Amino acid sequence: MTTDGNTGSETDRTPGGDQSGAPVTQHLQHLLHSVRAFDHRRPMVWNVLLTSAWMLFAVLDVTSGGWRTVALDPDAPGTLVLLMSVAFSAPLVWRRTHPMAVLAFMTPVALVNIWCGAVIQAAYVQDVVVFHIALRLPGRALARAGVLVTAPLLAAAVLQPHGWDRTAVPHLWAFALSAMLGIVVRTRKEYTEALVDRARRLEHERDQQALLVAAAERTRIAREMHDIIGHNLSVITGLADGGAYAAARSPERAAQALEAIGTTSRQALTELRRLLGVLREHPAEADRTPQPTLDDLDTLLTGVRAAGLPVQLRVDGVPPALAPTAGRQLTVYRVVQEALTNTLKHGGTQPPPSAEVTLTYRPGELEAVITDTGTGSRNRPGPRDSGGQGITGMRERASLYDGMLEAGPLPDSTPAPGWRVRLRLPLEDAPS
């Protein structure tokens, strides 16, 4: 689609558009494409048409007596000349399927043609077969074809010593030109097929890459939704349980719990709208609220404390002058969120558990350790979210930045039972 800068008009140059002003070569290519398509669908029709045309020319040459103008012996029998013309032309029907057999059949006819001195022009039909041998068969077959074509010419040097060069040289040139033309067409065809195959493989690779990207995006969205919904529902459950317990004794505390439930629910809905906004038909309308970072940990811990889980935050070491990337900060935030969510769900109630979040900055590394004193971990043989996606999601997040994550019960040497999640995350990408 090209635009005229002076008039602003557009001219459709697509293949399906108006081709009245198209160059002649484009019409010729379209015609050739149609002929090839028809030949591909009905090859025998084209074979019969071509063979009939060659046979008609050969018979007309015999009946008109034109062959005598170039014959070494104009008195050769006309019936023999007619039979040789048919013998040269009729086998062309099988020139594409059995070219070597067709050329082998023509060789004795060419020898008789030389022996009787007729030297009819139909003998040049052999070069059509030579072209198909060069086009379809290996190089050794072309060498054997050269032997079959030159053998009658060598016999002519013995049978017709005075005029054989007048016959041999044109046939040798015709053989060389037919062989080279077949090789050129074959090379071009193989090159085109290689380009088509490469384009097909690239298209397949592009489709596979798109599927992988889509699968990775679905996994990322599922992980984010798990973290958002799981954490906020756990907080809401804790607030609801606490509000129900306090309703009979302290209505004010119950009202505070209901207010906190409403705040947490609205926060969860906002995060879900932001996450699902990228899936809309018009991504520009999606909410561009930044993802949580380490600065939002205090807000997270405040909500967890409101749900009834005492949490302490401790920071060891000096944060680097250059803050970790947003992706790394989100990873740490989500790991802390998921660990505290598991404590709310599986930490037990007797005695009430507590938790501690420790961030330790080391040269080139950030370590986050989340421990709790919940008793539920001692009563479960496997991970707290066995069958779920919590710990798996945390490990996937850590692996995105070459980090390591460990999750499991506290060692037996510790004075109290509990659970520990340890994340070690490099602050910079490893050199490739």
Side-chain angles (χ1 to χ4, degrees), residues 262-284:
T263 302
T264 305
S265 300
R266 285 188 292 272
Q267 180 182 356
L269 288 174
T270 300
E271 294 188 28
L272 283 177
R273 289 193 188 99
R274 174 187 54 77
L275 179 62
L276 297 178
V278 298
L279 302 179
R280 294 177 181 174
E281 185 176 357
H282 303 287

Side-chain angles (χ1 to χ4, degrees), residues 118-291:
V119 196
I120 57 176
Q121 302 300 310
Y124 285 101
V125 172
Q126 297 177 96
D127 298 316
V128 177
V129 184
V130 170
F131 169 80
H132 285 280
I133 292 175
L135 180 64
R136 290 178 169 82
L137 300 182
R140 291 174 297 179
L142 186 59
R144 291 195 294 269
V147 174
L148 292 176
V149 171
T150 56
L153 302 178
L154 295 177
V158 178
L159 298 175
Q160 304 287 344
H162 301 291
W164 75 275
D165 56 334
R166 190 175 63 183
T167 303
V169 173
H171 276 283
L172 291 176
W173 273 109
F175 172 81
L177 292 176
S178 300
M180 286 190 294
L181 181 61
I183 293 173
V184 170
V185 174
R186 178 175 183 168
T187 303
R188 178 65 179 177
K189 181 180 179 182
E190 292 176 349
Y191 176 71
T192 303
E193 291 176 350
L195 290 179
V196 172
D197 180 68
R198 183 172 182 269
R200 186 182 298 111
R201 287 188 285 107
L202 288 175
E203 183 178 359
H204 179 71
E205 182 180 351
R206 181 200 63 191
D207 294 341
Q208 292 295 323
Q209 187 67 23
L211 292 176
L212 292 176
V213 171
E217 185 65 12
R218 286 196 300 269
T219 302
R220 184 189 71 82
I221 293 173
R223 188 165 51 231
E224 290 289 331
M225 291 185 66
H226 172 272
D227 293 342
I228 293 171
I229 296 176
H231 171 74
N232 286 285
L233 286 181
S234 297
V235 171
I236 290 173
T237 301
L239 290 171
D241 293 341
Y245 178 78
R249 299 185 180 181
S250 177
E252 296 180 357
R253 297 291 300 275
Q256 294 176 359
L258 291 175
E259 183 179 356
I261 289 175
T263 302
T264 305
S265 300
R266 285 188 292 272
Q267 180 182 356
L269 288 174
T270 300
E271 294 188 28
L272 283 177
R273 289 193 188 99
R274 174 187 54 77
L275 179 62
L276 297 178
V278 298
L279 302 179
R280 294 177 181 174
E281 185 176 357
H282 303 287
E285 301 175 0
D287 189 2
R288 301 300 182 182
T289 305
Q291 293 275 36

Side-chain angles (χ1 to χ4, degrees), residues 18 22 29 31 60 74 78 103 114 160-161 179 224 230 232 238 259 384 416:
D18 184 11
Q29 290 176 1
L31 178 61
L60 288 177
L103 188 62
I114 297 294
Q160 304 287 344
E224 290 289 331
N232 286 285
E259 183 179 356
R384 290 185 178 183

